[in-house]
């Protein structure tokens, strides 16, 4: 994304608030340069809200270990014939969607992440799964939460797209605060935290493209499949909305070209102002 990026930690410095399947509805595109970065130990102002952002994992992707669960994962580079210029190729792909903690045992995510039969029973939740934690190879049992039930679900194209999940127990993290604003100015910077393609947690500072008083918000921000349900935060660290849909990560023509001619794939990119943006469901349009 060709923005003059402030460090995400500076954006939130004023914070006073406390591959079995990839969902195409959450597909996205890179705007200009790929500005996604890892959450690091230096992001002190982000640690609190980052710990409330969950990767949603299919049970089949984990196997039991002595003190936890071991992911059945492939790296990004093993999963796609990507060009060397693409980022994070040595990192593992683990989840299929993203969620955010809105109550001690309640998670908000996109509706299309939970609308398949038995999806709740097949899903596990791990919070704050960053690149450092991914290096440990084992996820401790106490960090893995199960879906107890889907409390609310709506997934209608063009309308609010959300699901509220009750977990099997309370999470050892602080739920995020909800933004009070109903509209946002064009160009306003908002922070995305997500698990793009199931990668460890990433941050990206985006900007508002279009907003109305309705339930939806258009953003220019670098998210991908796997980012569905991911939270968007304002400068106070309050939850603005969650990702519903976007543009394709990889163009079908590129996949066909590599299959027939060889070579490598680059993720789809847009110059500023040439794409319609990523669609978020605003929290004020969700029945929480």
């Amino acid at each position: 994304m060709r923005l003059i990026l402030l460090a995400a930690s500076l954006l939130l410095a004023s914070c006073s608030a406390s591959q079995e399947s990839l969902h195409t509805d959450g597909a996205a595109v890179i705007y200009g340069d790929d500005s996604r970065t890892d959450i690091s130990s230096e992001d002190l102002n982000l640690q609190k809200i980052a710990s409330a952002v969950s990767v949603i994992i299919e049970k089949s992707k984990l196997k039991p270990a002595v003190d936890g669960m071991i992911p059945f994962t492939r790296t990004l580079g093993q999963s796609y014939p990507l060009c060397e210029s693409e980022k994070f190729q040595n990192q593992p792909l683990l989840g299929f969607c993203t969620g955010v903690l809105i109550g001690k045992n309640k998670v908000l995510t996109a509706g299309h992440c939970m609308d398949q039969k038995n999806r709740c029973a097949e899903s596990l939740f791990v919070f704050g799964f960053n690149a450092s934690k991914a290096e440990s190879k084992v996820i401790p049992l106490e960090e893995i939460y199960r879906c107890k039930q889907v409390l609310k679900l709506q997934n209608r194209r063009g309308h609010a797209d959300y699901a509220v999940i009750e977990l099997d127990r309370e999470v050892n993290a602080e739920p995020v605060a909800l933004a009070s604003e109903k509209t946002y100015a064009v160009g306003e910077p908002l922070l995305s935290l997500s698990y793009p393609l199931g990668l460890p947690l990433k941050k990206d500072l985006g900007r508002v493209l279009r907003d109305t008083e309705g339930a939806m918000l258009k953003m220019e921000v670098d998210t991908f499949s796997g980012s569905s349900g991911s939270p968007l935060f304002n400068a106070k660290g309050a939850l603005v909305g969650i990702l519903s849909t976007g543009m394709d990560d990889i163009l079908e023509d590129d996949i066909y070209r590599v299959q027939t001619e060889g070579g490598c794939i680059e993720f789809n990119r847009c110059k500023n102002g040439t794409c319609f943006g990523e669609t978020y469901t605003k929290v004020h349009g969700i029945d929480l």
Side-chain angles (χ1 to χ4, degrees):
M1 179 188 311
R2 295 188 183 278
L3 296 173
I4 301 175
L5 289 179
L6 302 173
S9 57
L10 292 179
L11 171 67
L12 296 175
S14 62
C15 176
S16 59
S18 344
Q19 208 173 65
E20 184 174 37
S21 61
L22 294 175
H23 294 270
T24 56
D25 281 350
V29 66
I30 293 171
Y31 292 87
D33 294 329
D34 186 350
S35 55
R36 296 170 301 152
T37 56
D38 282 309
I39 301 291
S40 72
S41 58
E42 297 178 358
D43 291 318
L44 299 179
N45 293 310
L46 283 182
Q47 294 302 323
K48 184 176 180 180
I49 59 173
S51 66
V53 182
S54 170
V55 59
I56 308 177
I57 310 164
E58 294 175 351
K59 285 183 181 179
S60 61
K61 297 297 182 183
L62 301 175
K63 65 179 180 180
V66 175
D67 298 317
M69 301 288 281
I70 300 175
F72 286 100
T73 60
R74 291 169 60 83
T75 65
L76 177 61
Q78 291 170 334
S79 301
Y80 298 94
L82 296 175
C83 298
E84 292 183 359
S85 58
E86 298 296 350
K87 300 166 69 172
F88 312 120
Q89 293 200 42
N90 293 324
Q91 292 187 356
L93 304 183
L94 184 59
F96 66 88
C97 272
T98 302
V100 59
L101 193 68
I102 58 170
K104 291 303 292 182
N105 67 336
K106 291 182 181 178
V107 170
L108 176 65
T109 187
H112 66 263
C113 291
M114 283 289 151
D115 63 359
Q116 296 183 26
K117 184 179 180 181
N118 299 324
R119 177 60 81 186
C120 175
E122 297 169 354
S123 297
L124 300 174
F125 296 73
V126 177
F127 292 83
F129 189 74
N130 56 29
S132 178
K133 289 186 177 181
E135 291 178 357
S136 69
K137 308 298 184 184
V138 176
I139 304 174
L141 290 176
E142 64 268 19
E143 296 183 8
I144 300 174
Y145 298 83
R146 298 177 183 274
C147 175
K148 182 177 180 180
Q149 62 177 322
V150 178
L151 298 175
K152 297 179 181 180
L153 176 65
Q154 179 171 304
N155 179 22
R156 291 188 297 146
R157 189 169 295 276
H159 297 270
D161 172 26
Y162 66 91
V164 179
I165 310 301
E166 180 183 0
L167 301 178
D168 62 330
R169 65 192 191 279
E170 292 188 354
V171 178
N172 185 26
E174 187 71 24
V176 299
L178 304 183
S180 59
E181 299 89 347
K182 292 186 177 182
T183 59
Y184 298 87
V186 173
E188 182 173 348
L190 297 173
L191 178 69
S192 163
L193 295 181
S194 78
Y195 296 90
L197 294 170
L199 288 163
L201 189 61
K202 301 289 181 283
K203 63 182 179 183
D204 187 51
L205 189 62
R207 67 183 184 92
V208 175
L209 289 180
R210 186 169 70 256
D211 187 22
T212 67
E213 293 187 3
M216 314 308 287
L217 177 69
K218 288 287 188 179
M219 291 290 301
E220 185 176 85
V221 63
D222 295 339
T223 56
F224 286 71
S225 299
S227 298
S228 292
S230 61
L232 193 66
F233 296 97
N234 65 18
K236 295 181 180 179
L239 179 64
V240 170
I242 57 171
L243 181 65
S244 296
T245 187
M247 300 185 67
D248 292 334
D249 305 319
I250 299 175
L251 299 180
E252 291 185 7
D253 287 350
D254 288 338
I255 296 175
Y256 178 76
R257 172 181 54 79
V258 170
Q259 288 174 339
T260 57
E261 302 175 11
C264 62
I265 290 175
E266 292 183 338
F267 289 118
N268 190 18
R269 283 170 166 79
C270 287
K271 295 181 179 179
N272 286 345
T274 62
C275 289
F276 60 72
E278 312 307 301
T279 303
Y280 284 78
T281 298
K282 292 189 285 188
V283 290
H284 87 82
I286 299 176
D287 180 16
L288 297 176

